[in-house]
């Protein structure tokens, strides 16, 4: 297989994988039954998706002890024998996600068992090789269910509302980084957006990703694990990047007493506008106001702190 992923090769890879793996096939077909409702988030619209199969990921224990005590499910030696591995960019391995949130959903895994760490710049080459996909990254403390094994994911870029929001508001002519504060919109949280030009300025823009961080709301410390990142090729055929700095992994409602608890554990797909709830009762409760509150709990609602923006803009 070539490194370039066309619509056709994406579909045939998924078909081949589902034919060989009944559990993945069942999860894939159940996805068609997942209900959705929309949420009005000011000048942006998102969706809430009821996805019971994601309980495994939403409820995952990601503290250091739980992680060290389980076999890593992303290491090749521990993967189910049915799972097809496609060697891809720089030796990273392309896998069909057996617990999909969207119909096209890949996990792309580093060949070695190394920690999630900073945003991988390989995402740029992946985005170029797969122009229909958006490649995204969950920082170790922002939704990664395997923070000990470096990985990214990919879905069709047409599926994520955040992709459209960035493209519509960050003009192609403005190369480099800008903050969504400058969009002049009422948004539930703020992020950094980049247009990467194919020159040395573009390289500098890309490399800034590696020093991105969020700020832990409990202790005020900068933390490189508290962020999500997205890379894709825009309609203008330029590489686009969005980095969402985070304040927490889970919203306050996650920690509420049992009967009031809402199981929402935002990773990159949630921050891109699709809030995943594995439980029916939570699905019904997440309305416009709670949607905004969840985003405000885990990211920066009014504006991004200067300390974060200056890392990109200086
Ligand atoms: Zn591993």
């Amino acid at each position: 297989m070539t490194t370039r992923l066309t619509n056709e090769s994406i579909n045939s890879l998924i078909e081949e994988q589902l034919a060989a793996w009944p559990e993945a096939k069942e999860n894939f077909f159940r996805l068609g039954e997942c209900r959705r409702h929309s949420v009005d988030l000011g000048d942006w619209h998102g969706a809430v998706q009821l996805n019971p199969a994601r309980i495994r990921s939403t409820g995952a224990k990601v503290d250091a002890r739980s992680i060290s005590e389980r076999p890593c499910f992303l290491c090749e030696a521990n993967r189910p024998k049915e799972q097809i591995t496609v060697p891809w960019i720089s030796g990273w391995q392309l896998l069909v996600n057996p617990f999909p949130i969207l119909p096209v959903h890949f996990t792309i895994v580093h060949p070695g068992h190394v920690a999630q760490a900073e945003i991988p710049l390989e995402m740029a080459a992946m985005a170029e090789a797969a122009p229909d996909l958006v490649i995204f990254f969950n920082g170790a403390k922002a939704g990664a269910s395997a923070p000990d094994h470096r990985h990214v994911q990919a879905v069709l870029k047409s599926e994520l509302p955040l992709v459209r929001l960035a493209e519509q508001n960050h003009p192609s002519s403005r190369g480099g980084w800008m903050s969504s504060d400058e969009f002049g919109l009422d948004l539930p949280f703020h992020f950094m957006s980049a247009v990467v030009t194919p020159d040395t300025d573009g390289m500098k823009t890309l490399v800034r990703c590696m020093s991105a961080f969020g700020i832990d709301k409990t202790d005020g410390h900068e933390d490189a694990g508290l962020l999500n990142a997205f890379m894709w090729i825009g309609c203008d055929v330029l590489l686009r990047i969005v980095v969402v700095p985070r304040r927490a992994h889970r919203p306050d409602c996650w920690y509420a007493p049992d009967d009031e608890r809402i199981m929402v554990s935002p990773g990159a797909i949630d921050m891109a506008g699709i809030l995943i709830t594995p439980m029916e009762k939570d699905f019904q409760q997440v309305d416009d106001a709670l949607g905004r509150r969840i985003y405000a709990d885990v990211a920066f609602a009014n504006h991004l702190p200067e300390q974060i923006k200056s890392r990109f803009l200086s």
Side-chain angles (χ1 to χ4, degrees), residues 10-309:
I10 288 169
N11 290 336
S12 64
L13 175 58
I14 292 173
E15 272 172 34
E16 186 188 355
Q17 177 62 90
L18 298 187
W21 195 357
E23 192 192 0
K25 188 173 182 176
E26 195 183 324
N27 289 338
F28 180 86
F29 282 105
R30 279 204 181 142
L31 194 57
E33 299 159 13
C34 283
R35 281 184 289 147
R36 269 195 185 199
H37 66 80
S38 62
V39 275
D40 187 332
L41 302 165
D43 290 325
W44 194 40
H45 291 274
V48 186
Q49 184 194 86
L50 174 64
N51 188 332
R54 292 293 294 190
I55 189 79
R56 209 177 97 125
S57 167
T58 303
K61 289 198 166 90
V62 288
D63 60 285
R65 180 157 176 200
S66 305
I67 293 293
S68 70
E69 286 175 351
R70 59 112 174 92
C72 173
F73 58 89
L74 292 183
C75 274
E76 196 162 8
N78 302 330
R79 283 186 221 142
K81 61 178 187 334
E82 296 88 350
Q83 192 154 33
I84 297 169
T85 299
V86 178
W88 204 32
I89 306 287
S90 306
W92 287 56
Q93 300 165 338
L94 183 70
L95 312 171
V96 173
N97 190 328
F99 298 97
I101 292 176
L102 294 160
V104 172
H105 192 169
F106 295 106
T107 306
I108 306 155
V109 177
H110 190 279
H113 184 77
V114 294
Q116 193 65 323
E118 76 285 346
I119 299 168
L121 296 188
E122 290 92 336
M123 288 169 73
M126 293 174 191
E128 279 191 12
D132 292 316
L133 301 181
V134 49
I135 315 295
F136 59 92
F137 172 81
N138 285 324
K141 295 182 183 171
S145 49
D148 55 338
H149 195 132
R150 199 154 168 75
H151 66 285
V152 297
Q153 299 175 64
V155 298
L156 291 176
K157 63 186 183 188
S158 54
E159 301 269 15
L160 297 189
L162 186 64
V163 165
R164 276 194 305 281
L165 179 69
E167 283 201 37
Q168 283 169 357
N169 291 283
H170 187 157
S172 306
S173 55
R174 186 167 161 179
W177 289 97
M178 76 185 279
S179 160
S180 64
D181 301 3
E182 291 181 70
F183 293 174
L185 300 174
D186 172 21
L187 297 175
F189 64 90
H190 284 285
F191 54 87
M192 296 300 300
S193 160
V195 169
V196 180
T197 49
D199 52 23
T200 44
D201 283 347
M203 274 313 290
K204 285 179 196 159
T205 300
L206 177 62
V207 167
R208 291 280 171 128
C209 282
M210 292 181 73
S211 52
F213 59 90
I215 299 174
D216 191 318
K217 70 176 174 187
T218 56
D219 61 17
H221 289 164
E222 294 182 2
D223 194 324
L226 275 172
L227 55 79
N228 304 104
F230 304 81
M231 293 194 200
W232 73 95
I233 300 299
C235 297
D236 46 20
V237 206
L238 293 171
L239 178 69
R240 296 271 182 162
I241 310 174
V242 162
V243 174
V244 181
R246 301 277 298 265
R247 307 167 61 226
H249 174 204
R250 288 168 169 157
D252 293 347
C253 58
W254 171 275
Y255 301 99
D258 274 352
D259 51 336
E260 291 164 38
R261 184 179 185 204
I262 307 275
M263 280 191 83
V264 175
S265 193
I269 289 184
D270 306 78
M271 302 314 290
I274 305 173
L275 287 164
I276 309 298
T277 56
M279 314 278 283
E280 166 89 41
K281 71 167 183 59
D282 300 343
F283 171 71
Q284 287 170 359
Q285 278 197 60
V286 181
D287 56 9
D288 300 350
L290 183 54
R292 288 200 83 130
R293 217 159 71 221
I294 289 168
Y295 284 123
D297 281 345
V298 301
F300 294 91
N302 298 321
H303 56 85
L304 283 176
E306 285 305 319
Q307 129 190 44
I308 288 179
K309 282 196 276 192

